Amino acid sequence: MKIKVGFGFDVHQLKENHPFIIGGVNLEHHSGAYGHSDADVLLHAICDALLGAANLRDIGFHFKNTDPRWKGISSLILLQETVKLLHEKGYGIGNIDAMLCIEAPKINPHIPAMQQNIAEAAGISVEDISIKATTNEQMGFIGREEGVVAYAVCLIEKR
């Protein structure tokens, strides 16, 4: 059995009165992540980890931010498309471990819903998805609530 690991990273700026979607969950907050799609920083980092593990380049290669097909799209769809690409290369997902770095709002109450959304989109068990969150201790652009960062690692295995 061949196994591979992948690493993903994403960052989005926050804008006042903009929707804030993380892990497919719409969070109540005064500002939200801005981008071409729904700017779901967590799912973008996960997609990059999965694509990297399978040597399929990165999310920007497959879902260009200049392509109108992806404008405003749910990143859960991008994750589904990423999983299809993995399956075409004969890989399945072993597990995903992700970390959000965000000052506010609190993420912990939303983690079960995020795990469920990711599990459904990726076709894996909730037990195979770990999501954690931390603040930046009020330092830098994250601490000033100007942006949000996500990191993800994954394990994939040849079927």
Side-chain angles (χ1 to χ4, degrees):
M1 171 188 306
K2 182 161 190 152
I3 61 171
K4 292 182 159 196
V5 297
F7 171 76
F9 165 84
D10 196 36
V11 61
H12 281 278
Q13 63 179 300
L14 298 179
K15 294 202 177 219
E16 284 290 325
N17 302 313
H18 201 275
F20 203 177
I21 300 168
I22 298 181
V25 175
N26 195 351
L27 304 176
E28 292 290 325
H29 196 57
H30 62 84
S31 61
Y34 178 78
H36 184 69
S37 66
D38 63 1
D40 190 325
V41 67
L42 176 62
L43 293 182
H44 294 180
I46 290 170
C47 287
D48 263 344
L50 294 168
L51 291 166
N55 196 22
L56 289 168
R57 304 208 36 189
D58 61 36
I59 192 170
F61 179 80
H62 293 280
F63 313 109
K64 294 179 179 16
N65 66 4
T66 56
D67 189 334
R69 288 182 299 165
W70 312 121
K71 179 74 177 158
I73 197 165
S74 168
S75 293
L76 290 166
I77 293 171
L78 301 182
L79 178 57
Q80 290 170 341
E81 293 298 315
T82 297
V83 171
K84 285 180 190 174
L85 292 168
L86 287 182
H87 290 171
E88 288 170 8
K89 279 197 83 171
Y91 287 101
I93 301 169
N95 76 302
I96 296 166
D97 184 20
M99 170 68 79
L100 286 160
C101 191
I102 181 172
E103 209 64 32
K106 293 294 182 195
I107 298 301
N108 205 35
H110 306 286
I111 288 175
M114 292 175 186
Q115 289 173 301
Q116 187 62 44
N117 289 341
I118 294 165
E120 289 174 10
I124 62 175
S125 170
V126 169
E127 295 296 315
D128 294 325
I129 302 161
S130 171
I131 301 170
K132 302 164 308 288
T134 189
T135 68
N136 214 42
E137 300 294 332
Q138 300 178 341
M139 295 182 295
F141 72 90
I142 295 167
R144 292 187 301 270
E145 295 188 48
E146 297 170 358
V148 58
V149 169
Y151 305 91
V153 293
C154 69
L155 180 125
I156 62 172
E157 39 201 1
K158 201 73 155 175
R159 292 178 163 190

